[in-house]
Amino acid sequence: MRGYYTADEVRAAEAPLLASLPDGALMRRAAHGLATVVAAELRARTGGVAGRTITVLVGSGDNGGDALWAGAMLRKRGVAATAVLLKPEKTHAAGLAAFTAAGGRVAAPSDDLGLPDLVIDGIVGISGRGPLRPDAAALVDRIEAPIVSADLPSGVDPDTGAVDGPAVRAAVTVAFGALKPVHALGAAHCGRVELVRIGLSLGDVGITALDAADVGAAWPVPGAEDDKYSQGVVGVVAGSDGYPGAGVLCTGAAVTATSGLVRYAGPCTGEVLAHAPEVIATAELAKAGRVQSWVVGPGMGTDDAARRTLRTVLDADVPALVDADGLTLLAEDPDLVRSRTAATLLTPHAGEFARLTGKDPGPDRVASVRALAADWNAHVLLKGRATVIAEPGGRVFVNEAGGSWSATAGAGDVLAGIIGALMAAGLTPDRAAAVGARAHSLAANLAARGGGADLSAGRGTAPISAGTLLAHLRESIRVLRAGVSPEEMPATS
Ligand SMILES: NC(=O)C1=CN([C@@H]2O[C@H](COP(=O)(O)OP(=O)(O)OC[C@H]3O[C@@H](n4cnc5c(N)ncnc54)[C@H](O)[C@@H]3O)[C@@H](O)[C@H]2O)[C@@H](O)CC1
Ligand SMILES: [K+]
């Protein structure tokens, strides 16, 4: 499990170390980690370190200090380094002294910067707020070389990952001491993220991500004493005459995600059974039989019959996942959820979130999801490249997909089926959502690569459909159960 610590939490963890260590020691630890990553990156990209050139972008805070110290360390390895000072009068004095003493050159933003092999972004770190200011934005705009960001890509909000104007797009980000929310929520600007430990003792954390090993260990598989009922039965209410595919994809995902039994209630029994003959299907909800969780909503429509069906499903005292059309109906009647005693999981995308709450998730997606979960007393999964999941008490999981391949029609129906099956198996809705989201995003990445558990292989990628995502779900579960680290998975888009 990985924690993501806010700027305030990091500052609190740094305080005792700053008090007990010699002046500048913590910064030099961070800088050493940064220099090590930059050297490895230079070697990987150019075949060596000595004789290569870097430009260091230096802002007015300690982030600039980190970058200057790293520049000084790289000078000692024979790297030609130029520091561009955005605020010369406020530059970190000790860092600048070390940099120039090591033979680093100092330049102004208006100077010709040539064509360095790499650029270090030390413009702002955890105290940065808002987009890059115009002088920094103009400088970054001129850069063509790959950028390694110190701590986080400047211009991206550390705590929310929000980008509200010019910001650095890094190839690599070297996080100091702890991952911050930006590293998951602003992943597209971070590139590959490397964590350098500097000895912080970190406390409880509000935002976590599950690693492959956590997901693999949580995945329900049949035990020695199990039968098809004891593993949890999931019921799916999805699809309509106009949208039979939602029923097919949702039940198909539930069938694939766990062993045991899937029931289907709705008008698409023929289509569902043609794709998954192991499903017990009925056109009448009243005849569906007992389940341990319900999935309701994908492609079901929003007419009066759908409204009655939703009400009947939510009347049942078992955990329920509400998605898609079900959410549109709920927007008019939140009490259907608030009055439940069993747990409810809502799985909106941004547009559905706005329907439920009257406003977009906005830049602080974690706060918005927490607020909806608390207000409706429900678990909430907000879809996106970084999927954010909250339970009513405020605990948050985030799943950074490592790409955007699952932005395809029907992928949400598959996600709902996976998570519903995990809920039937007894996982709490937020944990089922986090576990399911990880398997879903990995299946999408595998599908884009055409399969193959060797995720590091330099294979090409191709667009996928929800059907191919579903076809790779079993392989994804296998990879996760083998404990393969998702960090080994290269970004796929
Ligand atoms: N405190 C410590 O001992 C350590 C701090 N470390 C580094 O220090 C960083 C935090 O340093 P600071 O708190 O000094 O602040 P930062 O370096 O994050 O930046 C703050 C400065 O940037 C300016 N600024 C804010 N937003 C801006 C924007 N959008 N565009 C341009 N300038 C902007 C502010 O006016 C302020 O002067 C961490 O991210 C990390 O890189 C590391 O060296 C580890 C140890
Ligand atoms: K930075």
Side-chain angles (χ1 to χ4, degrees), residues 11 14 18 26-27 30 60-64 66 90 123-133 136 150-152 155 176 198:
R11 278 192 207 97
E14 277 172 358
L18 286 171
L26 208 52
M27 181 176 280
S60 54
D62 283 359
N63 193 251
D66 295 335
K90 286 194 180 170
I123 301 173
V124 281
I126 56 172
S127 300
R129 287 292 170 269
L132 290 176
R133 294 181 187 154
D151 215 9
L152 51 99
F176 301 135
I198 58 172

Side-chain angles (χ1 to χ4, degrees), residues 372-476:
L372 174 58
D375 185 20
W376 286 44
N377 191 30
H379 298 236
V380 178
L381 175 154
L382 175 63
K383 295 169 186 170
R385 163 145 179 182
T387 291
V388 177
I389 299 149
E391 48 94 44
R395 180 175 65 179
V396 167
F397 287 112
V398 60
N399 182 60
E400 203 287 293
S404 299
W405 292 114
S406 57
T408 183
D413 307 335
V414 174
L415 181 65
I418 299 170
I419 297 173
L422 295 171
M423 284 163 58
L427 276 70
T428 60
D430 63 331
R431 189 160 281 272
V435 167
R438 172 50 83 203
H440 185 266
S441 56
L442 179 57
N445 291 329
L446 288 168
R449 262 167 215 281
D454 183 6
L455 294 161
S456 61
R459 301 176 65 168
T461 52
I464 66 165
S465 65
T468 46
L469 191 165
L470 175 52
H472 286 80
L473 176 58
R474 200 163 272 124
E475 188 183 354
S476 163

Side-chain angles (χ1 to χ4, degrees), residues 153-228:
S154 303
V156 186
D157 190 275
D159 289 345
T160 67
V163 178
D164 189 21
V168 167
R169 247 180 212 278
V172 185
T173 293
V174 184
F176 301 135
L179 294 170
K180 290 102 197 168
V182 55
H183 298 123
L185 300 167
H189 279 76
C190 293
R192 191 179 84 244
V193 177
E194 300 224 7
L195 173 62
V196 169
R197 299 195 190 277
I198 58 172
L200 304 187
S201 346
L202 297 153
D204 287 346
V205 65
I207 304 177
T208 55
L210 298 179
D211 285 321
D214 306 317
V215 175
W219 206 276
V221 290
E225 311 281 306
D226 268 321
D227 61 33
K228 65 186 177 193

Side-chain angles (χ1 to χ4, degrees), residues 91-460:
T91 303
H92 191 275
L96 184 58
F99 181 78
T100 50
R105 199 170 73 87
V106 175
S110 54
D111 291 351
D112 180 3
L113 302 176
L115 284 173
D117 294 304
L118 271 185
V119 169
I120 300 180
D121 154 30
I123 301 173
V124 281
I126 56 172
S127 300
R129 287 292 170 269
L132 290 176
R133 294 181 187 154
D135 54 342
L139 179 61
V140 168
D141 208 35
R142 282 162 50 207
I143 287 169
E144 286 170 27
I147 300 178
V148 178
S149 281
D151 215 9
L152 51 99
S154 303
V156 186
D157 190 275
D159 289 345
T160 67
V163 178
D164 189 21
V168 167
R169 247 180 212 278
V172 185
T173 293
V174 184
F176 301 135
L179 294 170
K180 290 102 197 168
V182 55
H183 298 123
L185 300 167
H189 279 76
C190 293
R192 191 179 84 244
V193 177
E194 300 224 7
L195 173 62
V196 169
R197 299 195 190 277
I198 58 172
L200 304 187
S201 346
L202 297 153
D204 287 346
V205 65
I207 304 177
T208 55
L210 298 179
D211 285 321
D214 306 317
V215 175
W219 206 276
V221 290
E225 311 281 306
D226 268 321
D227 61 33
K228 65 186 177 193
Y229 295 110
S230 63
Q231 296 171 68
V233 179
V234 54
V236 174
V237 178
S240 53
D241 290 338
Y243 299 100
V248 171
L249 289 167
C250 193
T251 49
V255 165
T256 309
T258 59
S259 311
L261 180 59
V262 179
R263 299 187 189 278
Y264 172 80
C268 312
T269 54
E271 291 90 341
V272 164
L273 289 170
H275 285 84
E278 49 280 269
V279 172
I280 297 184
T282 170
E284 289 177 58
L285 181 57
K287 293 189 180 161
R290 282 174 60 81
V291 299
Q292 275 72 55
S293 78
W294 280 111
V295 175
V296 58
M300 79 187 290
T302 53
D303 58 12
D304 284 344
R307 185 172 284 110
R308 283 193 297 276
T309 300
L310 178 66
R311 192 175 285 273
T312 306
V313 169
L314 294 182
D315 271 349
D317 197 23
V318 294
L321 181 161
V322 187
D323 187 38
D325 289 340
L327 295 170
T328 302
L329 291 167
L330 270 187
E332 296 159 20
D333 203 354
D335 282 344
L336 282 181
V337 169
R338 288 202 180 104
S339 60
R340 300 190 83 224
T341 46
T344 312
L345 172 65
L346 313 174
T347 57
H349 55 55
E352 289 158 348
F353 187 96
R355 250 171 255 158
L356 291 173
T357 62
K359 53 183 190 299
D360 287 334
D364 194 343
R365 296 169 76 240
V366 168
S368 300
V369 173
R370 273 191 176 128
L372 174 58
D375 185 20
W376 286 44
N377 191 30
H379 298 236
V380 178
L381 175 154
L382 175 63
K383 295 169 186 170
R385 163 145 179 182
T387 291
V388 177
I389 299 149
E391 48 94 44
R395 180 175 65 179
V396 167
F397 287 112
V398 60
N399 182 60
E400 203 287 293
S404 299
W405 292 114
S406 57
T408 183
D413 307 335
V414 174
L415 181 65
I418 299 170
I419 297 173
L422 295 171
M423 284 163 58
L427 276 70
T428 60
D430 63 331
R431 189 160 281 272
V435 167
R438 172 50 83 203
H440 185 266
S441 56
L442 179 57
N445 291 329
L446 288 168
R449 262 167 215 281
D454 183 6
L455 294 161
S456 61
R459 301 176 65 168

